Amino acid sequence: MTKTKVYLAMAAALTLTACGGGSSSEEASPTETVETEKEVTTKEYKAIDGYLVNADIYVDRNKNKIADEDEKLDQVTGEEGQFSLDEADTQYPVIIKAVAGRTSDTDNEGAIKKDFTFVADAGVEVISPFSTTAYNTDKTLEELATELNLPLEVLSSDYVAKKNSEETESDAKKIHALARTLTKSIINKTDSEKLVDIAKNTLEDINEYVNNAEDLDKFEVIDTLKDRLTSETFTVIHTNELQFKEEGVFTDVTFNDTEVSVVNNGKKESHTIKYNDDSFQVANDSLDYIVHFSSDWMLIKTTQNELSLFIEKDSTEKLNEYVALTESDFVGKTLYHFWDDSTTSTPDPDFVTLKYSSEGNEVTILEDGEESKFSWKIDSDGNLVIEGAADGSDIIMSKTAASDLDDEFLIFNYGTSKNIQIPYFATENKTLADNIFKQWNK
């Protein structure tokens, strides 16, 4: 999609169906046993900004507005955002989680770069930025449509499909353009009370766009790396061992239109900066590229080809909080782990697959086509111990609370410490791990 720059006063910046079947029975003879299959009634739903494909679905049965793991359904959204709910679940709110690196939005090419969540009240069949705005501001969809002066029958429905009808095309195009803007605000965790104001401001720009006879399918609020960087204060941590030891941790890293400022060992320094869509240039260095977006952190491939963690300052201490692991975190699972294996300042990207057996405590490690088997355990402190895997020595890895910031990753430290250590990443999502590793080596 061609994107047209439309600048708004935003509070924050930045971006198969399972059906139950009925049953029938035939007249049986007196000697036959008749078994009647219980009919399961289902109802069809959709998740859209554009259509959200391969997103997770939760039924908020305890109505706590949280996507609890025991509320997650086995199915994911289909190619047009479709999914179904058993009739018993239609009385509860529905939460849709779009997952970075896996979920796609048909408005854009490829997988989304940042997690976000949509929600809808019970009985709302289209989960969208509008259902989310209404739910989070304690409005009905009818009240929201009235406040925005938009037709409820389009706002509450599949507005993407309604663009193909002459009767609804004009309104549907406006609503779809507005949806893209609201989604970006939701991704950025904009305060819910500001969403309606953002919608009203956006509609003014949309109407001007229409008056100028421009194509609304090209209307888009630009979503840039610059917006993301300038929206927060970050802590930056090397994953290269030597650079981590020599330079420590960069705290209070802040970006503005022309400069980046960092604090290292208590000393502040500033450098000029230039931004591109997926990279930035500090002073006269080569480009630093974004490799992965997550809600609270990013992975950046630096000028030196090193992978650095940019984590929002408010979340940094989670790297020093440890969460006890259990055997169920690993038994029968396959994890994909990438890290810098260098002991010099020159990075050495490495990648291994760890296959944990379904029975017993054996892990098979695959690296560069070679396979090795080791025993593993969870020690008394809740750490993972892979026995003899480091040239005869044990590998001890501690799960940090930063793992809770992104349900696709386990974020580890080697050992435990009150000071920030080099973070290590593992995920069950092979596609995500492959993509990050490929971009790192690009």
Side-chain angles (χ1 to χ4, degrees), residues 336-367:
Y336 304 94
H337 173 42
F338 52 90
W339 81 102
D340 189 339
D341 197 33
S342 174
T343 56
T344 71
S345 60
T346 302
D348 179 19
D350 212 339
F351 187 103
V352 297
T353 301
L354 299 100
K355 293 185 175 181
Y356 292 86
S357 59
S358 298
E359 296 182 359
N361 286 73
E362 183 177 79
V363 57
T364 301
I365 299 180
L366 289 82
E367 182 178 6

Side-chain angles (χ1 to χ4, degrees), residues 55-89:
D56 291 333
I57 307 158
Y58 297 77
V59 177
D60 191 15
R61 300 185 184 98
N62 60 11
K63 298 183 180 180
N64 66 351
K65 298 186 178 182
I66 296 172
D68 296 313
E69 193 60 26
D70 61 354
E71 297 174 332
K72 184 178 180 180
L73 303 187
D74 290 337
Q75 60 177 310
V76 293
T77 55
E79 292 182 354
E80 292 186 348
Q82 77 274 18
F83 62 97
S84 60
L85 293 183
D86 291 343
E87 187 68 27
D89 280 335

Side-chain angles (χ1 to χ4, degrees), residues 154-225:
V154 181
L155 186 83
S156 62
S157 66
D158 183 348
Y159 47 80
V160 177
K162 287 186 179 293
K163 293 196 300 183
N164 297 319
S165 167
E166 276 190 22
E167 184 179 351
T168 56
E169 179 184 9
S170 177
D171 287 325
K173 282 190 172 183
K174 283 186 181 181
I175 288 169
H176 192 187
L178 176 58
R180 293 194 292 272
T181 298
L182 281 179
T183 296
K184 293 184 186 302
S185 297
I186 290 167
I187 289 171
N188 294 327
K189 301 179 181 178
T190 300
D191 186 90
S192 297
E193 296 303 320
K194 296 179 181 178
L195 291 176
V196 177
D197 288 336
I198 288 171
K200 290 176 180 177
N201 290 334
T202 304
L203 280 171
E204 291 179 6
D205 289 295
I206 288 173
N207 288 330
E208 183 178 346
Y209 218 71
V210 171
N211 292 335
N212 292 332
E214 296 186 76
D215 185 358
L216 272 178
D217 282 341
K218 295 180 181 178
F219 179 95
E220 189 71 69
V221 174
I222 293 294
D223 178 4
T224 66
L225 177 59

Side-chain angles (χ1 to χ4, degrees), residues 51 75 130 282 376:
Y51 298 124
Q75 60 177 310
F130 302 108
V282 177
W376 66 276

Side-chain angles (χ1 to χ4, degrees), residues 97-109:
K97 289 188 72 173
V99 181
R102 185 198 345 135
T103 302
S104 59
D105 178 344
T106 56
D107 280 347
N108 302 291
E109 293 182 1

